Amino acid sequence: MTAWLMIGALAVTTALIKAFGPVLVGGRELPPTAVKVIALLPPVLLAALVVTSTLSEGQRLHVDASAAGVAVAGVMIWRRLPLLVVVLTAVVVTAGVRALT
């Protein structure tokens, strides 16, 4: 539950920054550090959501075949392979691990 509250709080913070940022800044440029932090918020939220949905079952850590598929997909995305190849490979790996167990 704590992870979902954190994800929700970060999502609201991101939306507020995007909504009120132009009003508060008043046409001035943001410092480069602030721009970098704001640009990183959506990918971090998505990564947190993927990890939470893949590795948790209620209050417990739950590692199963889908964790292997997500791990393989993460490496393939890091290596900048085409998204279709990443998704299909992750599906095959997940199915293969499930077939072995």
Side-chain angles (χ1 to χ4, degrees), residues 71-83 85-86:
V72 168
V75 171
M76 293 178 75
I77 288 174
W78 172 61
R79 300 299 301 162
R80 300 194 187 276
L81 293 169
L83 187 58
V85 173
V86 170

Side-chain angles (χ1 to χ4, degrees), residues 5-30:
L5 290 174
M6 180 62 74
I7 291 170
L10 289 173
V12 168
T13 302
T14 301
L16 288 173
I17 288 172
K18 288 186 176 188
F20 292 112
V23 173
L24 296 175
V25 173
R28 298 179 305 241
E29 290 290 322
L30 289 173

Side-chain angles (χ1 to χ4, degrees), residues 17-77:
I17 288 172
K18 288 186 176 188
F20 292 112
V23 173
L24 296 175
V25 173
R28 298 179 305 241
E29 290 290 322
L30 289 173
T33 306
V35 172
K36 289 178 184 176
V37 169
I38 292 169
L40 289 176
L41 286 176
V44 168
L45 286 171
L46 180 61
L49 181 62
V50 168
V51 168
T52 302
S53 66
T54 302
L55 298 178
S56 68
E57 185 176 290
Q59 295 290 326
R60 304 177 71 179
L61 178 65
H62 181 74
V63 179
D64 62 356
S66 61
V70 169
V72 168
V75 171
M76 293 178 75
I77 288 174

